[in-house]
Amino acid sequence: MNFDFAQSHFALFELPTSFALDRARLDARYKALQTEYHPDRYASHDDATRRLSLQIATRVNEAYQTLKSPLARGRYLLTLAGVDTEEETNTAMPMDFLMAQMEWREAIGDTKASRSVDALEALNRDLAQETDALTQELGALIDDDRDYPAAAMAVRKLRFLEKLHEEIGDAIEAVLF
Amino acid sequence: MALLQISEPGLSAAPHQHRLAVGIDLGTTNSLVATVRSGSAACLPDDDGRTLLPSVVHYGADQTVTVGHAAQKRQNQDPANTIVSVKRFMGRGLTDVADAATPYRFVDEPGMLKLSTVAGIKSPVEVSADILKALRFRAEQSLGGDLVGAVITVPAYFDDAQRQATKDAARLAGLNVLRLLNEPTAAAIAYGLDNASEGTYVVYDLGGGTFDVSILELTRGVFEVRATSGDSKLGGDDFDHRLYCWILEAAGLSQLNDRDARLLLTKARQAKEALTDHATTQVTAKLSDDSVIDVELTAEIFQQITDHLVQKTITPVRRALRDARLTADDIKGVVLVGGATRMPHVRRAVAQLFGKPPLTNLDPDKVVALGAAMQANVLAGNKGDDDWLLLDVIPLSLGLETMGGLVEKVIPRNSTIPTARAQEFTTFKDGQTAMAIHVLQGERELVTDCRSLARFELRGIPAMVAGAARIRVTFQVDADGLLSVSAQEQSSGVQASIVVKPSYGLSDDEIGRMLSDSMAHAGDDLEARKLAEARVESKSIVNATLAALEQDGDLLNADERQAVDAALAAAQAANAGSNANLIRTAAEALNQASGDFAARRMDRAVSRGLAGHKVSDF
């Protein structure tokens, strides 16, 4: 049994290096990989082997999570192409996106105050639609246009939307639990 | 990069040789040990045919340790030295149990709480190790050989400190831990393999002291945990305690002494169990002041006074469903685990939530141990035809303390394990060579609301200007759900050293001391017990003889007196040594030698007409 820690997540999962993803193949390969490398397979082996199996299984989980999430997958593809998404440093955003952000925040603030789970869930559905549209755009920018600077912008925008999604989720939990 | 080579799974194990491995359910109230023999899992019984071992340990002043049913019998007589429900104390500090009513004397120390007994100060880890030793002994006797390892189950909702404490206890008991397995997952293995189930299932596990809920997806050969939640301070014990308070109220009592409190708690538990099959039950008890309690309890009243506890289990179920992005309608079946799920109103609440009756075709007391045995069998390398993959998750988020006492999540809850996450830190001041990192577990934003797992100090960072050092700290959670941390300075490649201070764990020194203690006694733990018992017995015969000689020595002539004195001296000499057989023989000889003497004393007592005295007074 061999494992190459240097290979890309796509290579590990025997998938083409693209944003478009065959989810069924990803899931099937994930189970095959864990069946082969999971620490449970090596519970009775020596320390070094168990440690290695732990590292491999950890890598497989990390790769699976990265490829499964559109945002993480886009970010990873850009990293492979040598592009920094500058999510922490680049805060320059188009004016219309910033305006839309402010509207989202206001809506979340108001709905939070109402403590209505239904209203928060409705907001979440609207946000999911916007996220889906932006995800489609990101896919086209990477796979078709190979416009990485524009794709990096899309990743930064998606990160914003993800934070909004987390905020709504926290608000729902605060009401429910 | 060089390719690493690993041998084929299973090759290192000798072929065709069955390796003895067991699954242990280390429960709050009861513990079990199970194994797979000729393809099927079974719980191993004790000599009296009982599979459940009460998780009760009694410590005697003479260092005797009694576990299980025998210890349970002493519970009412000696509550302070009879430790029950020790699982509730695992990886916990004194402040965590401040509200619990227990008869124990806690030792006020930082870190994990400790119990003061007549046999010395005991950590919950040591008490648990005594339970595990009893199970290990039972398994080795029954299977006729040394165990290669054990799978120990833990509540899915156990945090890192509680898991580490459990693993430490197993180490102390001389067990090789193949894996810490989450209890609901173990139940799912037993249930899923037994019923060849496919689909999404909920495991609702209400044990003696903990509540877990796990949502699993079962597909051909894969058990994938989608989400888990729970309450590690909620279980059947709480129902008993609520009932106990109700009995006090109904009987118009307030404060009770330890013995009476223990007695009434036992009565409360029995009443709860009686209501599983009956609509009413009578609670009767005679207290130490000879007053009698006699109250009737109906199922309705029981349901009313414990409804808030049942509702407390529903919130984690909803949270798990939400985390798994599922609704109750997506659930194909609900498996009930844990003795407390026998309560009819618990079953009704679960049935109502999911709109279908729960599955109960496996014994809720045994299913966890059986699943653990099946997993142990596979992990030990005894591969059968059926083989499966288990993908479990971490129950609580792991985070780090940041500025202002806030927690930044590093690994979110319900991440599939094993998992790792690296985080980069930098220095705050010029020339700074050390930094402190505080690791926490929990879902809340404030440090004070989360459980402190450990504090790390990174030392040996090369002196640089502020912000220039790049320290990469890697958090690794292994397949047992246990965290380890490593750190490296990136620009210089210096491996910063880490000093771990587990907040509620035992330090390596403590573990080392306990291990060497148990090594010293181990090997012949059983011998030690035999010896202690022989000494106690011998001492009581010696003392009785001495007292009799002082009182009625004139009944013996010189020869007779010499014979008794010689036997007495021999018994005392044997008792000073450490040969249990010799002690027993000498004590028996003393008994024989003074037999005649005892008969004559009896005659004298009767002739003196000391009416009203019992024979035992002499």
Side-chain angles (χ1 to χ4, degrees), chain A residues 1 40-41 44 58 61 173, chain B residues 6 179 379 388 413 418 476:
Chain A
M1 179 185 76
D40 283 355
R41 305 280 145 181
S44 305
T58 300
N61 275 333
E173 289 200 0
Chain B
I6 304 179
R179 182 74 68 237
L379 297 188
W388 60 87
R413 69 169 184 259
Q476 169 84 58

Side-chain angles (χ1 to χ4, degrees), chain B residues 554-568:
Chain B
D554 59 297
L555 285 171
L556 299 174
N557 65 32
D559 282 355
E560 287 164 343
R561 175 68 191 239
Q562 204 185 353
V564 173
D565 278 349
L568 192 59

Side-chain angles (χ1 to χ4, degrees), chain A:
Chain A
M1 179 185 76
N2 297 314
F3 191 86
D4 177 6
F5 279 97
Q7 69 187 316
S8 82
H9 297 340
F10 290 102
L12 174 60
F13 277 78
E14 296 170 348
L15 290 164
T17 309
S18 69
F19 189 83
L21 182 84
D22 182 343
R23 179 61 197 267
R25 271 190 68 188
L26 178 79
D27 288 353
R29 176 77 180 142
Y30 172 63
K31 281 170 188 169
L33 284 167
Q34 286 297 17
T35 299
E36 189 172 353
Y37 297 112
H38 194 276
D40 283 355
R41 305 280 145 181
Y42 301 93
S44 305
H45 287 62
D46 60 89
D47 277 358
T49 308
R50 282 186 301 171
R51 204 158 42 240
L52 187 57
S53 134
L54 171 67
Q55 284 166 357
I56 297 173
T58 300
R59 166 63 66 87
V60 170
N61 275 333
E62 182 197 347
Y64 179 59
Q65 294 304 328
T66 303
L67 297 186
K68 206 166 69 165
S69 147
L71 170 56
R73 187 166 73 244
R75 184 188 292 136
Y76 181 66
L77 277 163
L78 289 173
T79 310
L80 286 181
V83 178
D84 185 351
T85 54
E86 299 176 323
E87 283 162 77
E88 304 297 327
T89 49
N90 189 341
T91 50
M93 282 282 171
M95 189 49 91
D96 59 339
F97 185 77
L98 287 178
M99 292 298 287
Q101 283 296 300
M102 281 171 59
E103 281 167 27
W104 272 111
R105 294 222 166 272
E106 267 176 41
I108 292 173
D110 293 348
T111 320
K112 248 188 193 173
S114 77
R115 293 185 63 82
S116 158
V117 173
D118 287 346
L120 285 164
E121 293 284 16
L123 211 57
N124 232 346
R125 281 192 293 276
D126 291 348
L127 185 68
Q129 275 188 4
E130 194 164 326
T131 306
D132 285 348
L134 195 54
T135 303
Q136 295 252 331
E137 197 183 312
L138 175 63
L141 287 169
I142 293 176
D143 286 353
D144 306 335
D145 308 346
R146 312 215 168 266
D147 184 347
Y148 299 139
M153 172 61 87
V155 164
R156 288 195 294 274
K157 286 180 176 174
L158 273 173
R159 178 68 193 125
F160 261 95
L161 299 188
E162 190 182 74
K163 278 182 186 158
L164 290 176
H165 176 70
E166 285 166 10
E167 209 178 316
I168 295 173
D170 288 348
I172 291 173
E173 289 200 0
V175 176
L176 284 181
F177 307 120

Side-chain angles (χ1 to χ4, degrees), chain B residues 111-271:
Chain B
M112 201 191 307
L113 64 84
K114 296 199 173 62
L115 303 138
S116 176
T117 74
V118 286
I121 290 168
K122 300 286 174 187
S123 144
V125 171
E126 289 169 279
V127 182
S128 298
D130 283 325
I131 298 168
L132 289 171
K133 272 183 206 166
L135 292 171
R136 178 187 157 201
F137 180 72
R138 182 192 288 186
E140 287 179 345
Q141 289 285 304
S142 154
L143 302 176
D146 288 343
L147 303 178
V148 299
V151 166
I152 318 269
T153 62
V154 289
Y157 214 56
F158 254 21
D159 65 29
D160 189 80
Q162 293 168 303
R163 282 167 198 270
Q164 191 61 60
T166 306
K167 202 168 180 179
D168 290 344
R171 250 169 84 193
L172 262 183
L175 287 165
N176 172 37
V177 180
L178 294 168
R179 182 74 68 237
L180 293 180
L181 181 61
N182 290 327
E183 287 160 11
T185 311
I189 292 175
Y191 184 83
L193 294 178
D194 220 47
N195 297 268
S197 311
E198 301 253 320
T200 307
Y201 286 82
V202 167
V203 179
Y204 178 103
D205 180 358
L206 188 60
T210 56
F211 172 67
D212 275 338
V213 54
S214 283
I215 299 174
L216 293 104
E217 205 170 289
L218 277 57
T219 49
R220 266 185 74 82
V222 182
F223 294 80
E224 191 175 6
V225 179
R226 295 282 304 274
T228 194
S229 189
D231 188 334
S232 59
K233 285 168 84 173
L234 175 66
D237 279 5
D238 296 291
F239 289 76
D240 297 351
H241 192 257
R242 181 68 196 87
L243 197 46
Y244 162 81
C245 293
W246 179 86
I247 295 169
L248 282 191
E249 224 175 284
L253 295 165
S254 50
Q255 279 305 97
L256 292 182
N257 63 36
D258 283 353
R259 239 188 94 174
D260 288 343
R262 179 46 64 189
L263 174 72
L264 275 196
L265 263 175
T266 307
K267 294 287 177 189
R269 197 191 68 230
Q270 288 164 351

Side-chain angles (χ1 to χ4, degrees), chain B residues 72 158 201 209 250 298 318 346 364 369 400 432 442 446 454 468:
Chain B
Q72 206 169 36
F158 254 21
Y201 286 82
T298 65
R318 290 190 196 280
V346 169
L400 292 171
Q432 184 179 338
L446 292 174

Side-chain angles (χ1 to χ4, degrees), chain B residues 16-69:
Chain B
H16 310 305
Q17 189 191 335
H18 187 78
R19 293 152 62 94
L20 299 179
V22 294
I24 292 179
D25 175 1
L26 183 61
T28 308
T29 319
N30 293 300
S31 297
L32 297 97
V33 59
T35 196
V36 173
R37 272 190 289 197
S38 15
S40 70
C43 292
L44 301 174
D46 64 9
D47 292 338
D48 296 319
R50 299 171 296 203
T51 51
L52 290 182
L53 177 78
S55 302
V56 183
V57 183
H58 177 263
Y59 292 99
D62 52 3
Q63 301 295 319
T64 49
V65 180
T66 320
V67 181
H69 293 281

